[in-house]
Amino acid sequence: MYDEMRYQKCPPGQRTLGNTCDSKERFPQLPREGLFPKAVLKFLRARRGSTLLAAMVLAGGSCLAQKDPGVRGGVAGAGGTFHPIDNSNAAANQADQDFFLQTLERFQEVNSVSGTVEPGNGLGPAFNLNSCGACHVQPAIGGSSPAVNPQVKNKDGSAFAHLDGASNPADTTHFLSANGPIREVRFILNPDGSLDGGVHDIFSIAGRTDAPGCTLQQPNFDQEITNHNAIFRIPIAVFGDGLVEMVSDAFLRDNLASTATKRAALGIGGRFNTNGNDGTITRFGWKAQNKSLLLFAGEAYNVEQGVTNNLFQSDRFPQGTSDATVTACTFNTSPEDTVNTINSQANTIVGGVSKANPNLNKPVGTASEMASDMSNFAAFMQLLAPPTAVTTTASQLNGLALFKQIGCALCHSQTLTTNQLNGVGGNGNNTLFAALGGVSFQPFSDFAIHHMGSTLADGVNQGAAGPDEFRTAPLWGLGQRIFFLHDGRTSDLLETINAHSSSNDCVITASYEQFVREPGENFYQPFSQSTVCGSEANQVIEAFSDLSATQKQDLLNFLRSL
Amino acid sequence: MAIRCWIFALASPAIVLCAEPRNFCQPPPEVEKAFQQAAAASAAITDPFAALDRAAPFQAVRDRYPDNLFAHERYEDAIHENGIEGHLRLLARQYAELESQHAGDPMYRYLSLRATVGRSTAAAIAGLHELLAKNPGFAPAHRTLGEIYGTEAFRQPEQEDIEKETFLALCPGGSLTRRPPAVPGPSRLIDEAARLLDQNGETDRIIAMTIQGLKEFEWRSQRIRAFDWYSRDYKLQDARDLRARYWQAWPVQVRAYQKAGRVEEANTVLASMELRAKALRNQPGSADWDALEVLVQLYTEVHQAERAAGKFRELEQLLGETQGPDQRTLRAARLERLRSLVNEDPASRGGTH
């Protein structure tokens, strides 16, 4: 299959394929056509238009009194596990609590290339950061991007780009800043014009003391940004994801179906991203592209830190890297993270207390100690309790009512319920996740994907999710988040809400099936196409705009109480 | 000696054409001469990490004599003598491809197995024995097995003698190579940087020397960890030694920056050491103790009395947890020396820093 995204600016309501709606005059600053792939130019035009629209919306709203209360202070309402995890008896529960604490330690392990300068090994050849816990940290481990960007500044105050002697000369100031969000970069198209969408890691191990001889260069981000071929994503908080994983497909489908009529009345669609092989719902990631937390962990470990593992076994070198560079930058056997047959954890946790591990370098240990890092990360996320909301004031409660009234809750579903487990001693005698069974929880998401229009579209396809489709972002924990939207473009809640609306720009995705007529001569035949104009949230945002300033403030106060 | 023959059955009687017999006992003089030139070219490369560059002259010889076993072997040796994980993977891939291109030719089967010696040696041994079962007179396989059985990791003296004798019977006057190839010696650059610091040397040069020294130690370690010539315990000890080198280099950096009045940079390195010391908690050996000692000394030197005292208290706590009377006594003595150091610091007596 050969996929090509086309992005077409059309008059409101008009759905047109082809180049019938030229809007060049609105974007005189655009580079000459021919320098860049056509799809990128079209994408850019539509986005510029949306930016203008968003700016107009904001300008119109700036005179109003309502204001984002900002990041909620006080204690982090997240970061712990379930109490109890296992209610069969106190000893079993303590063992499970210890297990969770061990997975938490592993989640925070810092990686280096060889495991000498830092305890974990396998970093690189390219990476975005060197620890899970470095990205997922606000307001507690498992969260999202912190106030000081660790991709820019190390805890010791030095530059992350040059940690341990690393070169990393590329200018990243266009998308990374000390007080900005942690980001990963994806390119929309490959140099040959075909769809890319993959992550291009920001940093290389070249120059590090533990990567002697490696000369791998960073991608040319400046060029990709100039070409409008780079988009960004920020880390997603993983609090409560064990519950999300435990919701059955049937429940999610029923939940979505239950609001179908109301959504249709407001022009809201919605569908699930699904696994191409078994057809089941995928639900993790900005576009709900990952099916399970294990898959999510394995992929992130490989993509974000460069650590090869049992699910993702290959080192990631940028396309076109020479054999000589690949050879010189390959330091460890693959996979770098596997199940441990020898216990290599110096610390263990007993009764909630960390101490020297008596089983170090022996072929025995706890489940956490013998499991791979990836499995530990998955278990950590599964056992990480959801954030605690503090929706108590009259304003917040009124905000919740308005949230439902204007239609936000049609996608941001307040309550979901997990599968009932077989119970203690049930299937497989696995009591570890007993706390996750039969639980109703408040993620404020339907975990479906929705067309968000050109204001948010990033041009990336992931699974069934197209260039402007995103998973309904779960709102739990939002009160203590600093950065919003998939690319962290804003820290302002009001701006975030407004970005849900878009002009009626059309996002056109055409999929082409490839045929080979004869050797060396290919042609492509249209296979399927879909066109969506505007954001599914437009009418809801209009309803939000129609609220009084006080009502809007109540709604903002409610959101910051989550 | 193997003889390669082609049978042409187009006409009767069948014609058997035999090519020049391949000499598997010693390289022809022109190849030997090419080796000498390649060795000189390889030795001229000064970059200690340029493994492919060092192997390139031997690769050129191989490319010039593509059917010569020794040309291949010498290239493989060049990779084994200089390479790390990535190079070993490349070598294994190259010879697996060559083997598939020359299916049924024992020489390429042998070379493919030999490419993995030192990386997955047990499998290579089994493969070489299988090869010999079909080609008992294939001398190079006996030689390689003799070499492997002579190593510490795969030592089997009786087998070594058998293979050696068989090889010498097939190739009188032949010789075996000692394996594994040497790893680079420990870098002296960090020590030299410390000496240069004492002699008031230039700061940036001192820093650069410590970084290069660490790279050389890392490279040495990579030359060990990729190979199965070395036991897991040996590799673990090597990794601990390597970590200790960092703790040797960082203080030199702190002192160099401090001496040059680059206080901010000194403090950055110190902060980084502080963070990394935490990860050493409960590591085997005395890594955590040693790191804390270094921090007490450095904080004292840069007159950060409170931090020095904090680290000192951590050492006291660690002493309480220390098992074994000998180690306890030793540590207690070291702690007393540090106590006097901490107490001597004017800042700890209410100094003005």
Side-chain angles (χ1 to χ4, degrees), chain A residues 294-427:
Chain A
L294 187 64
L295 190 65
F296 194 56
E299 185 184 298
Y301 207 22
N302 185 236
V303 170
E304 310 298 348
Q305 296 188 58
V307 180
T308 55
N309 54 68
N310 288 127
L311 285 180
F312 293 80
Q313 302 187 340
S314 301
D315 275 320
R316 296 176 72 247
F317 286 92
Q319 202 178 357
T321 304
S322 71
D323 276 356
T325 301
V326 169
T327 301
C329 298
T330 301
F331 293 95
N332 300 319
T333 51
S334 283
E336 288 155 325
D337 170 41
T338 61
V339 168
N340 299 298
T341 52
I342 302 288
N343 195 332
S344 60
Q345 295 300 308
N347 299 305
T348 192
I349 293 174
V350 179
V353 178
S354 178
K355 59 178 211 171
N357 190 350
N359 292 322
L360 179 65
N361 291 326
K362 294 178 185 171
V364 291
T366 65
S368 165
E369 287 159 8
M370 306 314 279
S372 63
D373 291 347
M374 172 184 72
S375 298
N376 272 278
F377 303 156
F380 168 72
M381 292 187 279
Q382 284 162 338
L383 292 173
L384 192 60
T388 310
V390 290
T391 313
T392 51
T393 68
S395 169
Q396 291 163 349
L397 290 167
N398 189 44
L400 171 59
L402 290 165
F403 181 83
K404 293 175 179 172
Q405 183 188 310
I406 64 172
C408 303
L410 292 174
C411 297
H412 292 282
S413 300
Q414 182 175 3
T415 304
L416 300 176
T417 303
T418 64
N419 276 336
Q420 201 62 248
L421 288 186
N422 288 335
V424 175
N427 193 13

Side-chain angles (χ1 to χ4, degrees), chain B residues 161-278:
Chain B
D161 289 346
I162 291 168
E163 298 299 345
K164 208 168 157 180
E165 282 164 20
T166 312
F167 166 66
L168 289 173
L170 290 164
C171 295
S175 62
L176 281 74
T177 305
R178 188 171 174 78
R179 289 176 184 274
V183 295
S187 173
R188 292 175 183 165
L189 281 173
I190 298 171
D191 290 334
E192 286 174 20
R195 270 196 293 277
L196 196 59
L197 176 67
D198 290 341
Q199 295 159 10
N200 297 319
E202 203 261 312
T203 307
D204 286 337
R205 187 163 166 238
I206 293 169
I207 301 295
M209 282 169 77
T210 58
I211 290 171
Q212 182 66 14
L214 288 172
K215 284 185 178 176
E216 289 182 9
F217 273 113
E218 284 277 3
W219 183 261
R220 182 177 188 276
S221 191
Q222 289 288 346
R223 293 273 304 123
I224 292 168
R225 65 191 302 179
F227 294 91
D228 61 6
W229 301 124
Y230 310 100
S231 69
R232 184 177 184 275
D233 286 346
Y234 184 85
K235 289 177 184 177
L236 280 175
Q237 185 55 50
D238 175 69
R240 283 195 286 271
D241 292 346
L242 177 54
R243 195 177 296 128
R245 298 297 179 182
Y246 279 92
W247 282 89
Q248 185 191 351
W250 289 330
V252 176
Q253 294 178 352
V254 172
R255 288 174 180 131
Y257 282 133
Q258 191 72 21
K259 209 166 184 172
R262 291 158 69 174
V263 177
E264 196 176 326
E265 284 156 294
N267 285 339
T268 300
V269 180
L270 257 172
S272 158
M273 292 170 71
E274 173 95 39
L275 288 168
R276 282 162 171 169
K278 286 176 186 152

Side-chain angles (χ1 to χ4, degrees), chain A residues 20-56:
Chain A
T20 55
C21 323
D22 199 345
S23 56
K24 271 183 188 168
E25 69 284 359
R26 289 184 59 191
F27 307 98
Q29 73 277 41
L30 280 178
R32 279 184 296 115
E33 198 153 346
L35 285 176
F36 312 115
K38 216 168 197 176
V40 177
L41 279 176
K42 288 174 179 172
F43 178 77
L44 167 69
R45 284 175 186 148
R47 173 176 273 196
R48 294 272 171 103
S50 310
T51 307
L52 282 174
L53 178 81
M56 284 158 62

Side-chain angles (χ1 to χ4, degrees), chain B residues 8 20 43 45 64 83 98 102 132 153 156 159 163 169 187 222 231 240 244 258 270 300 320-321 326 328 336 344:
Chain B
F8 292 88
E20 184 75 17
I45 292 162
R64 206 184 325 155
L98 277 174
H102 298 84
L132 285 172
Q156 288 195 41
Q159 282 290 326
E163 298 299 345
S187 173
Q222 289 288 346
S231 69
R240 283 195 286 271
Q258 191 72 21
L270 257 172
T300 307
E321 296 167 14
D326 290 347
R328 254 183 95 82
E336 280 315 302
E344 277 169 19

Side-chain angles (χ1 to χ4, degrees), chain A residues 373-501:
Chain A
D373 291 347
M374 172 184 72
S375 298
N376 272 278
F377 303 156
F380 168 72
M381 292 187 279
Q382 284 162 338
L383 292 173
L384 192 60
T388 310
V390 290
T391 313
T392 51
T393 68
S395 169
Q396 291 163 349
L397 290 167
N398 189 44
L400 171 59
L402 290 165
F403 181 83
K404 293 175 179 172
Q405 183 188 310
I406 64 172
C408 303
L410 292 174
C411 297
H412 292 282
S413 300
Q414 182 175 3
T415 304
L416 300 176
T417 303
T418 64
N419 276 336
Q420 201 62 248
L421 288 186
N422 288 335
V424 175
N427 193 13
N429 288 322
N430 187 356
T431 62
L432 184 58
F433 303 114
L436 307 180
V439 174
S440 286
F441 61 105
Q442 284 78 45
F444 290 94
S445 173
D446 57 7
F447 295 95
I449 50 175
H450 297 270
H451 291 282
M452 299 310 297
S454 55
T455 306
L456 291 177
D458 66 359
V460 169
N461 295 302
Q462 288 180 277
D468 77 329
E469 282 180 294
F470 289 91
R471 179 183 79 158
T472 305
L475 301 182
W476 53 3
L478 182 143
Q480 295 184 309
R481 280 184 222 159
I482 298 172
F483 303 101
F484 300 120
L485 301 173
H486 63 276
D487 50 11
R489 65 179 73 172
T490 180
S491 292
D492 184 89
L493 206 44
L494 195 58
E495 198 174 324
T496 305
I497 293 169
N498 285 327
H500 281 57
S501 102

Side-chain angles (χ1 to χ4, degrees), chain A residues 73-322:
Chain A
V75 293
T81 186
F82 299 89
H83 294 281
I85 297 177
D86 179 349
N87 59 8
S88 57
N89 63 63
N93 183 55
Q94 184 60 60
D96 289 349
Q97 297 284 341
D98 289 347
F99 175 76
F100 170 76
L101 291 174
Q102 286 192 296
T103 65
L104 168 63
E105 272 199 6
R106 203 77 81 87
F107 195 80
Q108 296 177 85
E109 185 175 73
V110 181
N111 285 305
S112 55
V113 178
S114 62
T116 48
V117 63
E118 302 285 7
N121 80 312
L123 186 73
F127 58 100
N128 289 321
L129 213 54
N130 57 0
S131 168
C132 300
C135 276
H136 296 278
V137 65
Q138 166 68 26
I141 298 297
S144 185
S145 200
V148 177
N149 189 348
Q151 287 176 307
V152 175
K153 207 180 256 191
N154 295 311
K155 283 181 184 167
D156 60 21
S158 59
F160 180 75
H162 307 307
L163 182 66
D164 298 318
S167 315
N168 290 313
D171 180 7
T172 56
T173 53
H174 292 105
F175 57 98
L176 294 182
S177 63
N179 303 116
I182 292 167
R183 277 176 163 159
E184 65 169 27
V185 185
R186 290 171 185 260
F187 294 163
I188 301 169
L189 299 179
N190 290 309
D192 65 3
S194 59
L195 279 186
D196 182 348
V199 176
H200 292 256
D201 287 322
I202 299 169
F203 304 107
S204 160
I205 57 173
R208 284 178 59 100
T209 52
D210 55 0
C214 175
T215 55
L216 179 68
Q217 293 182 347
Q218 295 167 278
N220 190 338
F221 294 112
D222 270 354
Q223 181 183 305
E224 300 298 337
I225 290 170
T226 304
N227 290 358
H228 304 281
N229 192 37
I231 64 102
F232 311 109
R233 299 272 176 86
I234 67 169
I236 302 176
V238 297
F239 303 124
D241 271 356
L243 297 171
V244 178
E245 194 173 45
M246 288 284 289
V247 180
S248 70
D249 282 17
F251 190 99
L252 287 176
R253 290 187 194 285
D254 288 349
N255 177 64
L256 189 66
S258 70
T259 58
T261 310
K262 287 181 182 169
R263 280 188 289 115
L266 291 171
I268 302 171
R271 61 184 180 136
F272 291 105
N273 204 345
T274 51
N275 183 306
N277 292 315
D278 63 7
T280 54
I281 293 173
T282 55
R283 56 191 74 177
F284 299 108
W286 282 106
K287 298 213 175 200
Q289 69 273 19
N290 278 326
K291 179 169 172 54
S292 70
L293 290 172
L294 187 64
L295 190 65
F296 194 56
E299 185 184 298
Y301 207 22
N302 185 236
V303 170
E304 310 298 348
Q305 296 188 58
V307 180
T308 55
N309 54 68
N310 288 127
L311 285 180
F312 293 80
Q313 302 187 340
S314 301
D315 275 320
R316 296 176 72 247
F317 286 92
Q319 202 178 357
T321 304
S322 71

